[in-house]
Structures are given as C-alpha cells and as structure tokens.
Amino acid sequence: MRMIDLSTAVDAAAWEPEPVLHEIVTPAEGAVHMAEEMKLHFGVDFDPAVLPDGELLSIDTLKLTTHTGTHIDAPSHYGSTATYGVPRHIDQMPLEWFHRPGVRLDLTGAEGDTVDADFLDKEFARIGYRPNPLDIVLLHTGASAWSGTQRYFTDFKGLDASATHFLLDLGIRVIGTDAFSLDAPFGKMLAKFKETGDRGVLWPAHFTGREREFCQIERLANLDALPEPYGFTVSCFPIKIKGAGAGWTRAVALL
C-alpha cells in the first residue's frame, strides 16, 4: 500500500481571505495553566515544577472557517432548500461516499475559466476510463501551485452547469478540485455577470447542488503526484461537525 497526501495544510502563515488565528499554549505554559485550573476547580495546590522539565501538554486553539484548507462542502452549503428535499449537513452524509475509487481529469490545458460537459467527456475518452457510480472525480487544474498566496484565489478553472450535471448523471456524488472553488474565480464570475446580465454564470457548480445532492472537495493538493489517472482509491472522510455546511478532511490517495 502506498499513500499520497492530497491535502493542503491549515496554515496561519498562509494568505487567506479570512485569516486563520492559531494560538499555541506551550507545554510549559500548559503546566502553569493546569496548576491554576486545579486550584480554581478542585482546591488542590499543584506545583508544576514537579513535572518533567516543568512541562505538561501543549494546547492549540484555532479560529477559522470550515472552508479553510482541504475540506468537503455538504449539500446544506449550497442553500437552505433544494428541489429534491432538505439539504443534509456534513455530519449526515453517508460514509460510503468518501472512500471510493478515484479518477483524475486534467484541466490544465483548458481555455477560459470554466470547462463544459463536452470537455470532460473528451477527457474521459482520452484517458480510456468511464467512471462507475460513486467514483470520486478529481479535477487537476494546477492551481495548487499557488496555494498559500493571493493568486490561489484568483487564478483557477472551474466547472459550468453542464459539466457538473454531466458528472452527476454518471452517478458521481463527490467531485474534488485542487482549486479554491469548483466554480470559476469569484471576480471573473461577477465581471461576466455584469457584462452579460446572465445569472447562470454565478456559481453554477455550487447552485447545481440546489437541484441535485452531491459534495465537493475543495483545495486538494498533489494531484500531479498520482502516477496514473485512475487505479487508486480516495479516502476523504469529513470531520463530523454537527449541523455544519462543510468539514475539513485529510484526503489521501491509496495505491
């Protein structure tokens, strides 16, 4: 068994639209903190100096969104209602969706900010693979090269509505991308809307989730490290956050 890490780190030093706050209590600070807690809650005097090196345990406190780092969007992220029923939260999704055969599609040579169904159909033909229902499709856009920088959020390729429906018609329920979003960059979408007045250009991949149930994995990494476009398993179980529209994942390819 060989494992390839497909995840980006949650990094407080990286550029994020909504910065990550990472506060660290060191093992030495943790010992003092514990002594204070023991005194406050249990009336017990505890000298941290008796501990090895005067240290106990480190504690990390983070403030971030569930869309930071590699994460999975749940159906409830796309809207509060859907034509098919009530959208499920991330803690309600079936586990069998997130440990499945994977297939990588190459979008690096695509023109424009989005690809359509015809592009994906030709890419499946090029690699000689037709996905089975519940396969996990990974989109290699090349955007992960800019992870941690502002460019990562403005320079990538997404799916249009036809491409998203095409994958769902094949029985795909989890679509992953190494980009910030499964849609085109926000600024480019809004500029196109101002130019055309067409509301259909606004988040078409996400809004497809108001019609059909599926999940997205965003902000993947190392898709170029996969030796073949298929023949591997993707394991990407989401963190179980009650009532959340997304959850972080440590996505891994198993070969």
Side-chain angles (χ1 to χ4, degrees):
M1 177 71 71
R2 179 186 173 199
M3 299 185 183
I4 298 178
D5 189 359
L6 303 181
S7 305
T8 55
V10 172
D11 183 359
W15 194 94
E16 291 280 346
E18 299 177 74
V20 176
L21 176 63
H22 184 182
E23 296 178 343
I24 302 173
V25 174
T26 67
E29 293 168 337
V32 174
H33 176 73
M34 177 59 73
E36 294 172 347
E37 291 292 300
M38 294 290 285
K39 179 71 172 179
L40 177 64
H41 297 297
F42 304 106
V44 176
D45 286 319
F46 176 74
D47 184 0
V50 303
L51 297 169
D53 301 318
E55 294 185 344
L56 187 57
L57 305 172
S58 68
I59 302 172
D60 297 86
T61 301
L62 293 101
K63 181 179 180 181
L64 73 166
T65 78
T66 54
H67 301 274
T68 305
T70 306
H71 65 277
I72 298 177
D73 289 345
S76 63
H77 172 59
Y78 313 135
S80 60
T81 61
T83 57
Y84 61 80
V86 179
R88 290 190 281 186
H89 299 305
I90 198 65
D91 59 302
Q92 300 171 314
M93 303 313 298
L95 293 179
E96 54 267 27
W97 281 20
F98 305 107
H99 187 87
R100 307 294 302 184
V103 53
R104 178 192 62 197
L105 300 181
D106 188 356
L107 274 59
T108 58
E111 297 181 359
D113 302 317
T114 59
V115 301
D116 58 15
D118 186 57
F119 183 96
L120 297 185
D121 194 29
K122 290 178 179 177
E123 178 62 9
F124 279 125
R126 184 188 69 80
I127 65 174
Y129 184 82
R130 203 68 176 176
N132 295 305
L134 294 184
D135 278 4
I136 296 177
V137 172
L138 308 178
L139 307 176
H140 178 216
T141 75
S144 60
W146 316 117
S147 181
T149 72
Q150 191 168 358
R151 179 176 178 180
Y152 180 68
F153 300 90
T154 60
D155 187 6
F156 56 87
K157 294 176 175 61
L159 301 183
D160 70 4
S162 74
T164 310
H165 281 290
F166 171 74
L167 292 177
L168 298 181
D169 287 343
L170 292 171
I172 305 303
R173 291 297 174 265
V174 177
I175 306 170
T177 178
D178 60 1
F180 170 63
S181 173
L182 197 59
D183 283 294
F186 297 170
K188 294 179 180 179
M189 277 194 302
L190 293 171
K192 191 171 183 179
F193 170 68
K194 289 181 179 179
E195 177 186 346
T196 65
D198 179 9
R199 295 186 180 184
V201 304
L202 298 175
W203 289 275
H206 279 75
F207 287 164
T208 297
R210 297 183 179 183
E211 305 171 41
R212 308 175 69 176
E213 188 180 49
F214 76 104
C215 289
Q216 305 174 23
I217 315 174
E218 295 174 330
R219 305 180 69 167
L220 290 164
N222 297 326
L223 296 187
D224 55 345
L226 294 167
E228 300 293 340
Y230 56 91
F232 56 90
T233 296
V234 177
S235 186
C236 57
F237 297 108
I239 295 295
K240 192 174 184 179
I241 308 174
K242 182 72 174 179
W248 306 285
T249 182
R250 184 67 177 267
V252 177
L254 310 175
L255 290 82

